Amino acid sequence: FDRGIRGYVEELIEDLKANCKPLEGGAGPQRKCPLCGHMMKTLRYNILCDDKEGGCGLHIPLEAAGKKLPESALKALCDKKRTTVVKGFTSKSGKKFEAALKIDEGQRKVVFDFDAGPKVDADGLACPCCGKAMTAQGSKLSCSCGFMMYTQTLGTSLTRQQVEQLLGQGHVDLYGLTSKA
Protein backbone atom coordinates (compact mmCIF):
# COMPACT_ATOMS: atom_id res chain seq x y z
CA PHE A 1 0.00 0.00 0.00
CA ASP A 2 2.80 2.41 1.00
CA ARG A 3 4.71 1.79 -2.27
CA GLY A 4 1.51 2.35 -4.24
CA ILE A 5 0.90 5.75 -2.60
CA ARG A 6 4.54 6.80 -3.15
CA GLY A 7 4.35 5.76 -6.80
CA TYR A 8 1.10 7.71 -7.29
CA VAL A 9 2.57 10.86 -5.67
CA GLU A 10 5.70 10.60 -7.85
CA GLU A 11 3.49 10.35 -10.96
CA LEU A 12 1.54 13.44 -9.88
CA ILE A 13 4.75 15.40 -9.32
CA GLU A 14 6.15 14.43 -12.73
CA ASP A 15 2.83 15.35 -14.37
CA LEU A 16 2.84 18.75 -12.63
CA LYS A 17 6.44 19.41 -13.65
CA ALA A 18 5.65 18.57 -17.26
CA ASN A 19 2.36 20.48 -17.59
CA CYS A 20 2.51 23.50 -15.25
CA LYS A 21 4.48 26.73 -15.56
CA PRO A 22 5.98 28.05 -12.32
CA LEU A 23 5.23 31.60 -11.21
CA GLU A 24 8.35 33.70 -11.69
CA GLY A 25 8.14 36.51 -9.14
CA GLY A 26 4.41 37.03 -9.65
CA ALA A 27 2.59 39.10 -12.23
CA GLY A 28 2.18 42.84 -12.32
CA PRO A 29 4.49 45.83 -12.00
CA GLN A 30 7.68 45.69 -9.92
CA ARG A 31 7.22 47.36 -6.55
CA LYS A 32 9.40 48.01 -3.53
CA CYS A 33 8.11 47.40 -0.02
CA PRO A 34 7.37 50.78 1.60
CA LEU A 35 8.46 49.44 5.00
CA CYS A 36 11.73 47.59 4.34
CA GLY A 37 12.64 48.38 0.71
CA HIS A 38 12.74 44.78 -0.53
CA MET A 39 10.99 43.82 -3.76
CA MET A 40 7.36 42.73 -3.57
CA LYS A 41 5.58 39.90 -5.40
CA THR A 42 2.11 40.25 -6.87
CA LEU A 43 0.17 37.08 -6.11
CA ARG A 44 -3.43 36.13 -6.77
CA TYR A 45 -5.01 37.97 -3.84
CA ASN A 46 -2.32 40.33 -2.55
CA ILE A 47 1.05 41.94 -3.00
CA LEU A 48 3.56 40.38 -0.62
CA CYS A 49 6.94 41.61 0.62
CA ASP A 50 9.64 39.20 -0.53
CA ASP A 51 11.94 39.79 2.47
CA LYS A 52 13.14 36.26 3.15
CA GLU A 53 15.78 37.18 5.76
CA GLY A 54 14.02 39.69 8.01
CA GLY A 55 10.47 38.53 7.47
CA CYS A 56 8.90 41.97 6.95
CA GLY A 57 5.51 40.32 6.44
CA LEU A 58 3.73 43.24 4.78
CA HIS A 59 0.95 42.25 2.43
CA ILE A 60 -1.28 44.60 0.50
CA PRO A 61 -4.64 43.12 -0.55
CA LEU A 62 -5.75 43.50 -4.15
CA GLU A 63 -9.35 43.67 -2.94
CA ALA A 64 -10.85 45.21 0.20
CA ALA A 65 -14.45 45.29 1.43
CA GLY A 66 -15.80 43.87 -1.83
CA LYS A 67 -13.90 46.30 -4.08
CA LYS A 68 -10.98 45.51 -6.36
CA LEU A 69 -8.43 48.20 -5.58
CA PRO A 70 -7.47 50.38 -8.55
CA GLU A 71 -3.84 50.38 -9.68
CA SER A 72 -3.54 54.02 -8.58
CA ALA A 73 -4.42 53.03 -4.99
CA LEU A 74 -1.91 50.16 -4.99
CA LYS A 75 0.79 52.49 -6.32
CA ALA A 76 -0.04 55.11 -3.69
CA LEU A 77 0.18 52.52 -0.90
CA CYS A 78 3.61 51.38 -2.11
CA ASP A 79 4.92 54.91 -2.75
CA LYS A 80 3.32 57.00 0.04
CA LYS A 81 1.90 54.38 2.47
CA ARG A 82 -1.58 55.86 2.02
CA THR A 83 -4.24 56.59 -0.60
CA THR A 84 -6.70 59.35 -1.18
CA VAL A 85 -10.36 58.54 -0.46
CA VAL A 86 -11.52 55.49 -2.44
CA LYS A 87 -15.23 55.06 -3.16
CA GLY A 88 -17.25 51.88 -3.59
CA PHE A 89 -16.43 49.76 -0.53
CA THR A 90 -19.22 47.58 0.91
CA SER A 91 -19.52 46.88 4.64
CA LYS A 92 -20.40 43.47 6.08
CA SER A 93 -23.97 44.72 6.51
CA GLY A 94 -24.13 45.59 2.79
CA LYS A 95 -23.86 49.38 3.09
CA LYS A 96 -21.64 51.34 0.71
CA PHE A 97 -18.90 53.51 2.18
CA GLU A 98 -15.78 55.38 1.21
CA ALA A 99 -12.45 55.67 3.00
CA ALA A 100 -8.77 56.13 2.40
CA LEU A 101 -6.37 53.26 2.95
CA LYS A 102 -3.10 53.43 4.85
CA ILE A 103 -0.37 51.04 5.94
CA ASP A 104 -0.35 50.46 9.68
CA GLU A 105 3.38 49.99 10.29
CA GLY A 106 2.90 48.39 13.72
CA GLN A 107 0.51 45.72 12.47
CA ARG A 108 2.21 45.55 9.03
CA LYS A 109 -1.09 45.57 7.17
CA VAL A 110 -3.42 47.87 5.24
CA VAL A 111 -6.24 49.48 7.24
CA PHE A 112 -9.09 51.87 6.47
CA ASP A 113 -8.48 55.54 7.28
CA PHE A 114 -11.85 57.22 7.83
CA ASP A 115 -10.25 60.49 8.94
CA ALA A 116 -8.67 61.20 5.54
CA GLY A 117 -9.77 64.01 3.34
CA PRO A 118 -9.73 67.74 3.71
CA LYS A 119 -11.01 69.42 6.87
CA VAL A 120 -13.80 71.89 6.23
CA ASP A 121 -15.71 74.29 8.44
CA ALA A 122 -18.66 72.50 10.04
CA ASP A 123 -21.13 75.21 8.96
CA GLY A 124 -21.36 77.10 12.24
CA LEU A 125 -21.40 74.15 14.64
CA ALA A 126 -19.92 75.19 17.98
CA CYS A 127 -17.95 72.92 20.29
CA PRO A 128 -19.94 72.08 23.47
CA CYS A 129 -16.73 72.21 25.55
CA CYS A 130 -15.13 75.50 24.55
CA GLY A 131 -17.60 77.16 22.13
CA LYS A 132 -15.09 77.41 19.23
CA ALA A 133 -16.08 76.54 15.65
CA MET A 134 -15.80 72.85 14.80
CA THR A 135 -14.34 71.35 11.62
CA ALA A 136 -15.67 68.37 9.66
CA GLN A 137 -13.46 65.68 8.16
CA GLY A 138 -15.35 62.78 6.64
CA SER A 139 -17.76 61.56 9.32
CA LYS A 140 -15.81 63.18 12.18
CA LEU A 141 -16.48 66.57 13.77
CA SER A 142 -13.63 67.94 15.85
CA CYS A 143 -12.47 71.01 17.71
CA SER A 144 -8.99 72.39 18.42
CA CYS A 145 -9.60 71.78 22.15
CA GLY A 146 -9.61 68.01 21.55
CA PHE A 147 -13.36 67.34 21.53
CA MET A 148 -14.53 65.12 18.68
CA MET A 149 -17.57 63.10 17.68
CA TYR A 150 -18.62 60.92 14.77
CA THR A 151 -21.76 61.52 12.72
CA GLN A 152 -21.99 57.90 11.60
CA THR A 153 -22.37 55.05 14.06
CA LEU A 154 -23.79 51.53 14.10
CA GLY A 155 -25.18 51.74 10.58
CA THR A 156 -26.85 55.13 11.10
CA SER A 157 -25.87 58.60 9.90
CA LEU A 158 -26.91 61.51 12.09
CA THR A 159 -28.87 64.30 10.41
CA ARG A 160 -27.84 67.92 10.84
CA GLN A 161 -30.75 68.40 13.27
CA GLN A 162 -29.65 65.40 15.38
CA VAL A 163 -26.04 66.67 15.48
CA GLU A 164 -27.22 70.13 16.62
CA GLN A 165 -29.42 68.53 19.30
CA LEU A 166 -26.58 66.30 20.49
CA LEU A 167 -24.14 69.20 20.69
CA GLY A 168 -26.68 71.52 22.33
CA GLN A 169 -28.50 69.19 24.72
CA GLY A 170 -25.94 66.41 25.17
CA HIS A 171 -28.26 63.64 24.03
CA VAL A 172 -30.37 62.49 21.08
CA ASP A 173 -32.73 59.55 20.65
CA LEU A 174 -31.64 57.18 17.86
CA TYR A 175 -33.60 54.24 16.50
CA GLY A 176 -32.72 51.50 14.03
CA LEU A 177 -29.11 51.07 15.12
CA THR A 178 -27.35 47.92 13.90
CA SER A 179 -24.85 46.27 16.24
CA LYS A 180 -21.60 44.88 14.87
CA ALA A 181 -22.67 41.44 16.08
Side-chain angles (χ1 to χ4, degrees):
F1 176 78
D2 187 44
R3 275 183 263 144
I5 295 293
R6 287 177 191 259
Y8 177 68
V9 170
E10 287 174 5
E11 286 177 31
L12 284 175
I13 291 171
E14 290 304 316
D15 184 48
L16 287 172
K17 285 181 181 177
N19 297 314
C20 294
K21 287 191 211 174
L23 288 175
E24 303 261 343
Q30 293 291 315
R31 307 173 203 275
K32 282 193 175 182
C33 178
L35 299 182
C36 71
H38 282 82
M39 293 308 292
M40 298 186 79
K41 286 183 180 180
T42 302
L43 303 174
R44 185 173 183 178
Y45 298 108
N46 56 41
I47 301 169
L48 181 67
C49 178
D50 199 22
D51 180 9
K52 293 179 177 75
E53 299 93 36
C56 173
L58 175 67
H59 72 277
I60 299 172
L62 295 176
E63 184 176 305
K67 176 175 179 59
K68 183 176 186 237
L69 298 180
E71 182 60 34
S72 59
L74 298 172
K75 182 172 176 17
L77 283 169
C78 290
D79 294 346
K80 302 179 214 159
K81 300 182 189 174
R82 67 181 323 106
T83 68
T84 57
V85 174
V86 179
K87 297 181 180 186
F89 294 114
T90 307
S91 71
K92 291 178 183 176
S93 64
K95 293 195 174 194
K96 294 284 186 189
F97 69 96
E98 58 186 56
L101 298 169
K102 68 179 180 180
I103 294 177
D104 182 322
E105 293 186 36
Q107 296 181 24
R108 300 213 177 269
K109 68 178 189 176
V110 176
V111 296
F112 290 109
D113 183 6
F114 294 100
D115 294 333
K119 289 184 178 182
V120 295
D121 182 37
D123 294 329
L125 292 176
C127 174
C129 297
C130 68
K132 292 180 184 173
M134 297 185 68
T135 58
Q137 186 177 21
S139 64
K140 181 173 84 172
L141 294 174
S142 60
C143 179
S144 60
C145 74
F147 175 81
M148 68 164 224
M149 66 172 275
Y150 288 93
T151 59
Q152 293 179 346
T153 184
L154 299 173
T156 300
S157 294
L158 299 176
T159 65
R160 173 70 183 210
Q161 182 181 4
Q162 290 171 323
V163 170
E164 289 172 355
Q165 180 182 346
L166 186 58
L167 291 173
Q169 299 174 9
H171 73 279
V172 65
D173 293 328
L174 296 176
Y175 301 97
L177 299 175
T178 306
S179 74
K180 291 184 179 180

